[in-house]
């Protein structure tokens, strides 16, 4: 087994500093120094023993295309390659902040206005990837980083390296076709984006684990505790965004988010929180008391 250690030069310009996680079936992540820039970066390696020719080709292609993504809403890929001819890696910008998943663990759902703004930022990221032919297929709340320094500033990470990791059957954001191990395209990312928006707005998964296991992918807004006007406005939007058939989904992230924004505007003042009807953004439940940890968990 190939052993990585601090001070290892992954490339002539990138030196490993400190391992920040151990993969747990996903990529192995290190803090590193880009020596020519004197700047900290993040290096992610594929899990050991996962180097397969077809997957490697897909990874290298996606990484190369990922460098062409123009929007700052996607973490920039500085470099990529195969370390000692065995271990694929990517070098990406070091982000400061917390993940959307961390935020949602502390605050079950987000204010309507914040969902609206985050949706627009994520749409720029997703459509920006798709414009150059990059597909994420692991897009979820943990792949969205809320950068420090601004109230709402979302960046998508995890391009390319996800191709070399297994799909988690417990991931609520994985599209039906990816979940089933079928061939998928950029419309899988659109489903995942819809699932993120649903979770932020309603505070629950769009499709529960038991439903996925049973092959039941129809999405409905809850009838108990959800304002009727909100439910009627958003049901057709999420029904389309999270349709089991890729052909029935929105054609772009922008189209999806625009539809959602218009739907929210039509019922502004209603709120989707369970057990709360006809309330405003200010009525959102307080944050759950937990340790304050704003650091980015890789």
């Amino acid at each position: 087994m190939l052993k990585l250690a601090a001070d290892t030069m992954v490339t002539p310009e990138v030196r490993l500093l400190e391992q920040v996680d151990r993969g747990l079936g996903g990529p192995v992540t290190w803090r590193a120094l880009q020596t020519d820039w004197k700047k900290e970066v993040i290096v992610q390696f594929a899990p050991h023993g996962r180097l397969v020719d077809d997957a490697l080709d897909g990874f290298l292609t996606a990484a190369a295309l990922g460098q062409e993504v123009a929007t700052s809403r996607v973490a920039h890929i500085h470099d990529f390659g195969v370390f000692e001819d065995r271990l694929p890696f990517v070098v990406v910008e070091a982000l400061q902040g917390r993940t959307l998943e961390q935020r949602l663990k502390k605050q079950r759902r987000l204010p309507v206005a914040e969902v609206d703004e985050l949706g627009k930022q994520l749409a720029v990221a997703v459509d920006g990837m798709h414009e150059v032919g990059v597909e994420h297929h692991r897009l979820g709340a943990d792949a969205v980083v809320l950068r420090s320094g601004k109230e709402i500033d979302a960046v998508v990470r995890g391009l390319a390296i996800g191709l070399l990791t297994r799909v988690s059957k417990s991931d609520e954001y994985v599209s039906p076709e990816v979940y089933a191990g079928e061939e998928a395209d950029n419309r899988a990312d659109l489903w995942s984006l819809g699932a993120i928006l649903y979770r932020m707005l309603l505070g629950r998964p769009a499709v529960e684990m038991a439903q996925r296991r049973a092959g039941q992918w129809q999405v409905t807004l809850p009838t108990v505790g959800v304002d009727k006007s909100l439910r009627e406005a958003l049901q057709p939007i999420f029904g389309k965004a999270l349709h089991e058939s890729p052909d029935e989904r929105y054609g772009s992230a922008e189209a999806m988010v625009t539809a959602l924004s218009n739907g929210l505007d039509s019922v502004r003042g209603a709120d989707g929180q369970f057990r709360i009807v006809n309330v405003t953004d200010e009525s959102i439940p307080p944050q759950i008391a937990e340790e304050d940890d704003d650091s980015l968990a890789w």
Side-chain angles (χ1 to χ4, degrees):
M1 179 179 294
L2 187 60
K3 187 72 172 179
L4 296 169
D7 292 328
T8 297
M9 298 298 295
V10 179
T11 74
E13 296 82 24
V14 177
R15 183 174 74 246
L16 298 183
L17 297 177
E18 177 188 15
Q19 187 171 344
V20 294
D21 72 8
R22 300 192 178 279
L24 299 177
V28 178
T29 305
W30 283 73
R31 289 177 48 248
L33 179 67
Q34 185 85 29
T35 57
D36 51 344
W37 303 339
K38 306 297 183 186
K39 183 176 181 179
E40 186 171 307
V41 292
I42 292 294
V43 181
Q44 289 192 293
F45 296 90
H48 296 293
R50 302 279 177 81
L51 186 55
V52 180
D53 288 345
D54 289 345
L56 178 60
D57 290 343
F59 159 76
L60 294 173
T61 298
L65 291 173
Q67 290 187 310
E68 303 302 317
V69 177
T71 174
S72 61
R73 294 294 168 200
V74 177
H76 184 65
I77 297 175
H78 296 305
D79 202 354
F80 64 94
V82 182
F83 181 58
E84 294 191 354
D85 297 323
R86 292 177 57 191
L87 196 57
F89 69 90
V90 290
V91 181
V92 298
E93 66 174 298
L95 301 172
Q96 302 296 324
R98 60 162 63 172
T99 66
L100 177 59
E101 184 67 30
Q102 287 175 303
R103 174 79 185 279
L104 291 173
K105 284 180 178 178
K106 288 190 173 184
Q107 186 175 343
R108 189 172 75 173
R109 61 173 300 276
L110 304 185
V112 173
E114 190 168 341
V115 174
D116 195 12
E117 179 58 29
L118 281 172
K120 292 173 182 176
Q121 293 182 0
L122 293 176
V124 171
V126 172
D127 285 344
M129 292 186 293
H130 294 171
E131 283 174 4
V132 296
V134 175
E135 299 161 8
H136 198 293
H137 293 184
R138 301 295 189 280
L139 183 62
D142 194 49
V144 176
V145 177
L146 305 177
R147 281 192 288 207
S148 303
K150 294 184 180 179
E151 185 174 350
I152 303 176
D153 189 11
V155 184
V156 171
R157 64 179 183 175
L159 285 182
I161 202 71
L163 294 172
L164 298 170
T165 61
R166 293 193 182 102
V167 173
S168 171
K169 295 291 186 178
S170 64
D171 188 344
E172 67 182 82
Y173 306 104
V174 169
S175 71
E177 59 269 32
V178 173
Y179 181 90
E182 299 171 352
E183 186 174 350
D185 55 26
N186 60 5
R187 293 171 295 183
D189 294 338
L190 297 177
W191 194 99
S192 297
L193 175 58
I196 292 172
L197 295 170
Y198 188 103
R199 170 73 183 281
M200 288 194 295
L201 190 64
L202 298 178
R204 57 166 289 176
V207 181
E208 300 286 354
M209 187 180 298
Q211 290 178 269
R212 295 198 301 271
R213 288 174 176 169
Q216 299 171 351
W217 293 90
Q218 184 175 358
V219 175
T220 57
L221 271 71
T223 58
V224 178
V226 176
D227 180 81
K228 182 180 178 181
S229 62
L230 181 69
R231 188 171 65 249
E232 291 178 345
L234 301 189
Q235 179 60 56
I237 296 170
F238 281 116
K240 183 176 179 65
L242 296 165
H243 201 287
E244 183 176 4
S245 170
D247 291 337
E248 300 298 324
R249 297 172 196 161
Y250 288 98
S252 69
E254 181 182 15
M256 179 199 307
V257 169
T258 298
L260 178 61
S261 183
N262 291 339
L264 291 173
D265 284 343
S266 72
V267 289
R268 186 65 71 182
D271 189 286
Q273 173 65 30
F274 294 127
R275 299 181 300 279
I276 298 178
V277 180
N278 289 328
V279 295
T280 63
D281 287 343
E282 288 70 29
S283 301
I284 297 208
Q287 290 187 342
I288 299 171
E290 291 184 5
E291 290 185 14
D292 289 328
D293 181 10
D294 292 335
S295 61
L296 179 59
W298 285 93

